[in-house]
Amino acid sequence: MIDHPITDPVLIFAIAMVVFFVAPLLMSRLRIPGIIGLILAGVVIGPNGFALLDRDPTIVLLGTVGLLYIIFIAGLEIDLEGFKKYRNRSVLFGTLSFTIPFLFGLVFTFILGFSTPAAILLASILGSHTLLAYPIASRLGISKDRGVTTAVGGTIMTDTLALLVLAIVAGSIQGELNSTFWFTIAVSLVLYVAITLILIPILAKSFFRTMSSEGALEFIFVMSILFVTAYGATLAGLEPIIGAFLAGLALNRFILEHSPLMNRIKFVGNALFIPFFLLSVGMLMDIRVLLGDPSAWLLAALVVIFVQLGKFLAAFISGKLYNYSMDQIKLMFGLSVPQAAATLAATLVGFDLGLFDSAVVNAVIVMILVTCMVGPYVVEKYARKLALEEELKPFDPSEAPERVMVPIANPKTVESLLDLAFIVRGQSSEPLYPLTVAQGTNGDAESEVAKAEKVLAHAVTYAAGASVPIQMLTRLDPNIASGIIRAIEETRITTLVIGWNGKRSTPQLIFGGILDQLLERTEEMVLVSKLGHPLNTTKRIVLVLPSGVDHKTGYYRSLRTVKRLANQVGATLVCVVVKDDARPYEKTIKEIKPDVSTTVVGISSWNEWHKQWMLTLRADDLVVVLSARRGTLAWHPQLEQLPNVLAKANPESFIMIYPPETEKTDSRGSRGTDVPRMMSSRSYED
């Protein structure tokens, strides 16, 4: 005989797993977001339903972790540059999203005869919200939409204001509302935020520089940062969700969007902790109390109506002021209407202080249930519309899906090359193509191919960890360059990402025999990289733009790749234009998405670059040179010296980008004595 509620831990977990599996499937048949199914499942199997499971400390613990996970991932995925650019919009939306429902709440609570502290606390509850539906926006690929960025930024303001009101009301009831109280809360808030946003990046940078290849250790490090920071928020008098969001912001640029680490974080959250949070929210609902107390229905109806009206008005006013579409406005409403975390915390505190009775508590729980169903439904509907509109834009050949190949020879550089390739690939639906070329003869061809495939094994594992589809390629050719070129032609590759060890076989070559042959015999975009530090520890990208490069056909595509790289690693972009008017470059760079903090400067000669700019490079800089193949527009002899110079200079991390060519390169005139091949290493004059 099975007791009710079930106490066997194995059976509890088994029931939870079955619910997590079945509920979303049933909801998908009804075309309802799976999140709603998990909340309803909590109502049915919870203590106030069939009482199969109790909302015991274990459920509460896992649910709390799930809530922190949602807020943490929102901080990780937020477009920091867009957040900075639209911070005024987030402040305005957050202010309106709290103030309008707060004023509505004050009016009707006073009319219903609530005391002043109870009225203020209940009104503040209407002003907060939880990013319950954010995973839907993330799944549909619009997490960097300006409407989403505005709503995410506004969340922190609304919850902070709601929790500050809670602290003030609680302090007034307990007789602690004095100058010491105000001083303590102000100082602790400022110190906590400052320490979090300064200390965590320092720790993360040190960790990822030394331990970046340890997969499990990376995940444990991130989880340690998340929960220590969340607990630190409680010591500062704040709610843990504020700490979780700050932890996500602090780690934002260190965890690349398309990386094995980000995939692990999302997988664990979406598969385990977030479903437990939704289940625990549903378990709060007690329909019997509502049936036995008609006044609770009136209060529940009022709070549901006014919270939705207030949140919609906040989204509508903010959206109209900043020319957002109606779909974006409704998306902001859907993201900001769900009530859960701060709402529940404030309600329970109000009940403990004697400000709320059971009718108020159940009315708030009804509001939580209704808003947690409305929000995901609205977000699913309008996020999908925005995603489809993005896909239905007129076709632009420059935005065609990237088909990226990564030739691999050195197992030690596999991860850094793949991280770069993940960013270059972007949201392409095409797989990634890791390639090895075996130089075998008829006698040992089989063994050489086996060795080549062994080199690919680590690449397969690493890409699988990032959920990036791959297609392994192995070629047998006595000439490595010919093998790579044949693979490019056979698979219609658009971009080649390849590493360089910093050594040239002869002084007359740019990189060495293989890379020089590839540049001469291909028209595809080629990225030659030498990475001396992990990409995610890069703070600044210095882009070198030689004269005339803006007239090349692949200029826009190359710039888009560089800006995507800067956006993904959270780096600022400094563009150095050599011997050309910087103003046209500045205009073009500004127009190309994504948004990145960019500075454009012009210099008069290559001599100025070598003698002044090279000396200012820092250890965490990444130099990117928008180069040109020999004999093409924008080519200059200095471009052939740069790889060798950069390989020996600080920071020893650089990428040479060779834009795609529309036709075969004609190098006549660039090989003879009329154009100097090399110059003295002591002279960089033009």
Side-chain angles (χ1 to χ4, degrees):
M1 189 70 178
I2 299 177
D3 296 329
H4 287 75
I6 295 169
T7 57
D8 185 279
V10 176
L11 186 54
I12 290 174
F13 207 79
I15 292 173
M17 291 299 104
V18 171
V19 168
F20 298 164
F21 175 71
V22 173
L25 291 179
L26 291 177
M27 292 298 104
S28 65
R29 293 289 182 91
L30 300 173
R31 305 187 70 178
I32 298 174
I35 286 176
I36 297 175
L38 293 172
I39 295 172
L40 292 176
V43 176
V44 173
I45 69 173
N48 302 313
F50 290 104
L52 289 177
L53 300 181
D54 191 13
R55 195 171 186 271
D56 60 15
T58 302
I59 298 291
V60 173
L61 169 64
L62 295 173
T64 301
V65 173
L67 170 62
L68 296 179
Y69 237 94
I70 291 175
I71 305 298
F72 177 64
I73 291 175
L76 280 183
E77 289 194 329
I78 193 171
D79 181 358
L80 280 182
E81 205 53 47
F83 183 65
K84 294 174 185 176
K85 182 177 180 180
Y86 301 128
R87 61 181 178 273
N88 293 335
R89 304 182 184 191
S90 294
V91 169
L92 175 66
F93 173 69
T95 302
L96 293 175
S97 188
F98 177 83
T99 304
I100 296 176
F102 179 80
L103 293 176
F104 284 158
L106 275 183
V107 171
F108 84 77
T109 50
F110 278 130
I111 291 174
L112 292 177
F114 280 69
S115 65
T116 300
I120 293 175
L121 184 57
L122 185 55
S124 70
I125 287 173
L126 271 61
S128 66
H129 63 257
T130 298
L131 289 173
L132 182 81
Y134 178 81
I136 297 174
S138 175
R139 170 169 54 83
L140 293 174
I142 62 164
S143 61
K144 297 187 185 301
D145 181 87
R146 58 180 182 165
V148 176
T149 301
T150 302
V152 170
T155 300
I156 301 308
M157 172 162 283
T158 60
D159 284 3
T160 301
L161 289 173
L163 296 170
L164 284 175
V165 170
L166 171 62
I168 293 168
V169 170
S172 67
I173 295 296
Q174 297 168 353
E176 299 174 354
L177 204 61
N178 50 36
S179 58
T180 303
F181 170 84
W182 292 108
F183 177 79
T184 302
I185 197 169
V187 172
S188 61
L189 178 61
V190 172
L191 285 177
Y192 171 73
V193 173
I195 291 172
T196 300
L197 296 182
I198 293 173
L199 182 60
I200 290 178
I202 294 174
L203 292 174
K205 182 177 179 180
S206 174
F207 173 82
F208 286 113
R209 275 184 174 274
T210 56
M211 307 294 292
S212 60
S213 62
E214 301 292 334
L217 203 58
E218 281 183 338
F219 181 78
I220 294 172
F221 170 76
V222 171
M223 292 299 100
S224 300
I225 292 291
L226 165 58
F227 293 108
V228 169
T229 306
Y231 179 71
T234 64
L235 299 179
L238 304 172
E239 282 296 308
I241 56 174
I242 305 297
F245 184 75
L246 288 176
L249 286 181
L251 290 173
N252 182 287
R253 72 181 189 84
F254 295 99
I255 302 177
L256 304 181
E257 183 178 353
H258 302 288
S259 68
L261 179 56
M262 179 66 90
N263 188 54
R264 292 186 192 104
I265 292 169
K266 287 185 175 181
F267 175 80
V268 172
N270 293 332
L272 188 63
F273 294 126
I274 294 176
F276 266 112
F277 167 66
L278 300 171
L279 195 70
S280 69
V281 169
M283 288 180 173
L284 291 170
M285 183 66 186
D286 189 351
I287 299 176
R288 290 171 297 182
V289 173
L290 290 172
L291 294 176
D293 188 353
S295 65
W297 283 108
L298 173 62
L299 187 58
L302 289 173
V303 294
V304 168
I305 291 170
F306 283 120
V307 75
Q308 294 190 80
L309 179 60
K311 294 296 183 181
F312 182 79
L313 286 175
F316 183 80
I317 294 171
S318 301
K320 287 301 180 182
L321 284 174
Y322 294 110
N323 297 318
Y324 288 6
S325 68
M326 277 306 298
D327 288 343
Q328 288 176 311
I329 290 172
K330 292 174 182 176
L331 177 63
M332 290 167 61
F333 163 72
L335 287 169
S336 62
V337 77
Q339 308 284 310
T343 302
L344 186 59
T347 304
L348 295 179
V349 170
F351 182 76
D352 292 337
L353 293 174
L355 296 175
F356 298 155
D357 57 17
S358 59
V360 174
V361 173
N362 280 276
V364 171
I365 292 173
V366 170
M367 178 186 69
I368 290 174
L369 183 62
V370 172
T371 57
C372 286
M373 289 191 290
V374 171
Y377 177 81
V378 172
V379 171
E380 180 85 31
K381 180 177 180 179
Y382 292 100
R384 191 174 296 278
K385 288 183 68 175
L386 287 171
L388 290 174
E389 288 172 7
E390 187 72 22
E391 292 179 5
L392 290 174
K393 286 182 178 178
F395 176 73
D396 181 353
S398 66
E399 296 182 355
E402 294 281 3
R403 186 172 283 191
V404 182
M405 175 181 286
V406 186
I408 295 173
N410 183 0
K412 295 180 180 179
T413 62
V414 168
E415 293 184 8
S416 60
L417 279 177
L418 288 177
D419 283 338
L420 177 59
F422 294 158
I423 295 173
V424 172
R425 176 179 173 271
Q427 300 292 339
S428 173
S429 58
E430 298 289 336
L432 193 67
Y433 293 82
L435 166 73
T436 56
V437 178
Q439 289 180 289
T441 58
N442 292 334
D444 60 353
E446 187 174 345
S447 63
E448 289 300 317
V449 170
K451 290 179 183 178
E453 290 179 343
K454 188 175 181 180
V455 174
L456 284 177
H458 183 53
V460 173
T461 303
Y462 192 74
S467 290
V468 174
I470 66 168
Q471 183 172 326
M472 292 190 301
L473 300 174
T474 304
R475 294 293 183 270
L476 184 65
D477 200 302
N479 184 300
I480 293 178
S482 296
I484 295 174
I485 292 168
R486 182 158 53 90
I488 290 173
E489 294 171 346
E490 291 172 354
T491 52
R492 295 178 291 121
I493 296 299
T494 62
T495 305
L496 188 70
V497 177
I498 193 166
W500 183 50
N501 62 7
K503 300 176 182 179
R504 295 186 297 182
S505 53
T506 64
Q508 287 72 36
L509 298 176
I510 305 173
F511 298 102
I514 297 173
L515 287 177
D516 283 30
Q517 288 181 58
L518 286 175
L519 293 176
E520 290 178 3
R521 297 166 59 186
T522 61
E523 296 85 47
E524 292 75 18
M525 184 162 77
V526 178
L527 284 79
V528 181
S529 66
K530 181 182 182 298
L531 301 176
H533 65 268
L535 276 175
N536 61 348
T537 62
T538 302
K539 294 187 68 175
R540 184 178 69 161
I541 293 178
V542 180
L543 174 63
V544 181
L545 297 164
S547 175
V549 74
D550 59 333
H551 288 74
K552 294 185 69 65
T553 55
Y555 172 67
Y556 287 88
R557 182 177 160 200
S558 302
L559 273 186
R560 188 177 293 107
T561 299
V562 176
K563 292 195 72 176
R564 185 187 301 151
L565 174 61
N567 177 264
Q568 288 292 305
V569 303
T572 58
L573 181 62
V574 178
C575 304
V576 182
V577 181
V578 184
K579 292 185 63 182
D580 213 342
D581 184 0
R583 287 171 296 181
Y585 291 87
E586 185 172 10
K587 181 181 178 182
T588 304
I589 293 169
K590 184 178 180 180
E591 292 172 349
I592 293 177
K593 300 294 182 181
D595 293 321
V596 175
S597 177
T598 305
T599 304
V600 181
V601 296
I603 60 176
S604 59
S605 66
W606 284 104
N607 188 46
E608 185 176 346
W609 162 258
H610 286 285
K611 292 189 175 181
Q612 295 182 25
W613 274 87
M614 288 282 291
L615 300 177
T616 66
L617 297 178
R618 301 187 291 260
D620 50 14
D621 283 347
L622 173 65
V623 179
V624 179
V625 181
L626 205 55
S627 191
R629 289 171 168 84
R630 185 186 293 124
T632 65
L633 185 66
W635 178 81
H636 190 280
Q638 284 292 336
L639 293 173
E640 298 195 355
Q641 290 194 54
L642 270 183
N644 188 49
V645 173
L646 291 171
K648 299 175 182 178
N650 186 49
E652 298 186 7
S653 290
F654 66 90
I655 301 173
M656 302 289 295
I657 297 182
Y658 294 85
E661 303 291 343
T662 55
E663 55 188 32
K664 289 286 186 180
T665 302
D666 187 352
S667 60
R668 290 177 298 177
S670 63
R671 297 178 180 274
T673 57
D674 54 332
V675 177
R677 289 260 328 178
M678 295 294 294
M679 302 175 67
S680 169
S681 60
R682 298 180 182 178
S683 174
Y684 304 105
E685 297 293 344
D686 300 344

